Amino acid sequence: MKAESTQPNNPLHGITLETIIKELVGNYGWKDLGQRIDIRCFNDNPSVKSSLTFLRKTPWAREKVEALYLKMVKSR
């Protein structure tokens, strides 16, 4: 079975959290991203590494980040 067909209904399948963060930062910048999702790793000395650490441990925040990413991708 091919990897692409294992989760055909998951739009995030195959996209790493690091990629999601980098694309959001590239599109919005840290300041706007921190206003859209008010979490410290986006507002207080933000970095991809600190964001990855926090989001991997915090499911509610990761869900918000993934939802914003999907919204951004759909609006392109």
Side-chain angles (χ1 to χ4, degrees):
M1 185 179 268
K2 292 182 180 178
E4 300 86 38
S5 63
T6 58
Q7 294 188 16
N9 296 326
N10 182 354
L12 295 173
H13 182 68
I15 302 172
T16 65
L17 185 56
E18 183 175 5
T19 298
I20 291 171
I21 293 169
K22 286 180 177 181
E23 287 195 30
L24 286 170
V25 171
N27 191 61
Y28 298 112
W30 287 113
K31 184 175 182 179
D32 191 25
L33 187 56
Q35 291 172 346
R36 290 172 183 271
I37 304 173
D38 189 18
I39 51 180
R40 191 171 14 179
C41 66
F42 292 164
N43 291 312
D44 185 24
N45 196 20
S47 71
V48 172
K49 184 177 178 182
S50 67
S51 298
L52 285 170
T53 301
F54 176 75
L55 294 170
R56 287 180 177 141
K57 296 178 186 177
T58 318
W60 64 264
R62 183 175 181 151
E63 288 173 18
K64 287 185 175 198
V65 168
E66 289 173 345
L68 179 61
Y69 175 77
L70 290 173
K71 183 179 175 183
M72 178 189 77
V73 170
K74 287 179 184 177
S75 69
R76 287 183 178 168

